[in-house]
Amino acid sequence: MAAPPERRCWEREQARLKAGVVEQDTEEWQKDPNFTGLERVGGVDLSYIKGDGTSACASLVVLSYPALQVTRVLYEDCRMVAVTAPYVAGFLAFREVPFLVEAVQRLQQEEPKLRPQVLLVDGNGLLHHRGFGVACHLGVLTDLPCIGVAKNLLQVDGLARDELHREQIRSLQKSGDTFPLTGTSGRVLGMVLRSYNNSSKPLYISVGHRVSLDTAVRLVRACCRYRVPEPIRQADIRSREYIRKQLCAPLEVRPARPESSKKEAELEDESDA
């Protein structure tokens, strides 16, 4: 598929926003081994109606930390949205992030006391062809600490899903085991984490904004009751349930605001290339 005319504009915008990424811890709670002071963790997700690449549900969920009580969610926002930007590998943020930014803005306007202190994002951060994935994009635009949490390896900078990589995954014997993703450039782009004893499939953690990689990995592990960290898991569950209910009633989809500059299953994580 030919690249859309927006591509050059998107490349310039990515480069401009990338200059604002902070790869270090900026909050006091991040420096504490037990994350003392962390009370609210958010998760975001965009779920598409099956077979429809333009109608989706944007979801933002905020859970209390460390309890992560799913029966007492602090905040939940699910909205049907009309996705109009085309899918282009490496530019997924321009297709999805405007809706997630709007969700964060609604929360700040309606329930400012429930503003998350960190967002877990279903996608990549620095682990990206140009070092600026969805988690970075969302983090810079909202100025919130963000962590990229992907379920599949994005093959960039020489990283490959080869036998060596599979062998390294097999070496992850228990929850909390990790190994770094070091590209041919010599840079550590992220970390592979076995997040759940009962699942041999790891997660791929990368820095989004205002968080170090070590802190990102520790927090994701602390938020995992199952393979996927609970804030993202709940955002996904609730967005799909919202879609199911909407399909039983007339759909109301909202386009992104003009001033705003999940992937379908087959594009999961790999689409953030």
Side-chain angles (χ1 to χ4, degrees), residues 193-244:
L193 166 70
R194 180 162 181 166
S195 58
Y196 183 52
N197 277 330
N198 292 347
S199 175
S200 60
K201 294 181 179 180
L203 295 175
Y204 297 85
I205 314 301
S206 57
V207 169
H209 183 52
R210 293 179 56 188
V211 64
S212 68
L213 182 57
D214 175 68
T215 297
V217 172
R218 289 192 299 113
L219 181 58
V220 168
R221 183 191 177 197
C223 288
C224 286
R225 298 272 179 81
Y226 301 95
R227 180 194 176 204
V228 176
E230 205 61 33
I232 291 177
R233 181 171 173 269
Q234 289 302 315
D236 176 68
I237 289 172
R238 291 162 192 267
S239 63
R240 295 183 188 281
E241 177 63 14
Y242 191 85
I243 286 176
R244 188 190 68 77

Side-chain angles (χ1 to χ4, degrees), residues 58 75 77-79 99 101-111 254 257:
Y75 181 88
D77 181 6
C78 292
R79 300 282 182 103
F99 304 110
V101 170
E102 288 178 7
V104 173
Q105 291 172 341
R106 281 194 298 271
L107 182 156
Q108 293 180 162
Q109 292 167 2
E110 299 168 7
E111 298 283 355
R254 306 173 183 227
R257 292 198 303 266

Side-chain angles (χ1 to χ4, degrees), residues 15-263:
R16 183 184 72 83
L17 293 174
K18 182 181 177 182
V21 172
V22 176
E23 301 179 33
Q24 293 83 36
D25 293 328
T26 61
E27 309 302 301
E28 285 303 314
W29 62 263
Q30 295 169 329
K31 302 169 187 176
D32 186 284
N34 298 314
F35 297 128
T36 302
L38 177 61
E39 299 177 347
R40 299 174 306 281
V41 180
V44 293
D45 187 64
L46 209 73
S47 295
Y48 289 87
I49 293 178
K50 188 174 182 180
D52 184 344
T54 61
S55 297
C57 177
S59 175
L60 166 63
V61 170
V62 181
L63 300 179
S64 63
Y65 185 88
L68 301 171
Q69 292 177 285
V70 300
T71 56
R72 296 183 62 184
V73 171
L74 297 180
Y75 181 88
E76 176 182 351
D77 181 6
C78 292
R79 300 282 182 103
M80 295 304 301
V81 297
V83 181
T84 57
Y87 165 70
V88 181
F91 298 96
L92 181 68
F94 293 95
R95 180 171 164 85
E96 300 189 348
V97 162
F99 304 110
L100 303 178
V101 170
E102 288 178 7
V104 173
Q105 291 172 341
R106 281 194 298 271
L107 182 156
Q108 293 180 162
Q109 292 167 2
E110 299 168 7
E111 298 283 355
K113 292 182 180 179
L114 298 180
R115 185 176 188 262
Q117 292 163 277
V118 60
L119 280 176
L120 304 188
V121 183
D122 183 7
N124 293 299
L126 296 181
L127 182 57
H128 180 267
H129 286 297
R130 287 170 298 283
F132 195 74
V134 169
C136 295
H137 204 125
L138 182 60
V140 171
L141 291 183
T142 62
D143 198 33
L144 284 171
C146 282
I147 298 171
V149 183
K151 294 185 284 294
N152 294 300
L153 174 66
L154 189 61
Q155 301 185 66
V156 299
D157 195 14
L159 298 176
R161 204 181 295 111
D162 54 16
E163 182 53 37
L164 173 59
H165 184 73
R166 288 189 287 270
E167 183 179 329
Q168 288 175 307
I169 290 175
R170 287 192 291 269
S171 73
L172 304 177
Q173 295 297 306
K174 63 183 185 302
S175 173
D177 285 353
T178 63
F179 66 84
L181 288 167
T182 306
T184 54
S185 64
R187 187 177 185 191
V188 176
L189 302 176
M191 195 75 73
V192 182
L193 166 70
R194 180 162 181 166
S195 58
Y196 183 52
N197 277 330
N198 292 347
S199 175
S200 60
K201 294 181 179 180
L203 295 175
Y204 297 85
I205 314 301
S206 57
V207 169
H209 183 52
R210 293 179 56 188
V211 64
S212 68
L213 182 57
D214 175 68
T215 297
V217 172
R218 289 192 299 113
L219 181 58
V220 168
R221 183 191 177 197
C223 288
C224 286
R225 298 272 179 81
Y226 301 95
R227 180 194 176 204
V228 176
E230 205 61 33
I232 291 177
R233 181 171 173 269
Q234 289 302 315
D236 176 68
I237 289 172
R238 291 162 192 267
S239 63
R240 295 183 188 281
E241 177 63 14
Y242 191 85
I243 286 176
R244 188 190 68 77
K245 291 179 178 178
Q246 289 293 304
L247 289 176
C248 298
L251 282 176
E252 178 186 356
V253 295
R254 306 173 183 227
R257 292 198 303 266
E259 63 268 26
S260 298
S261 69
K262 183 58 96 106
K263 320 170 261 300

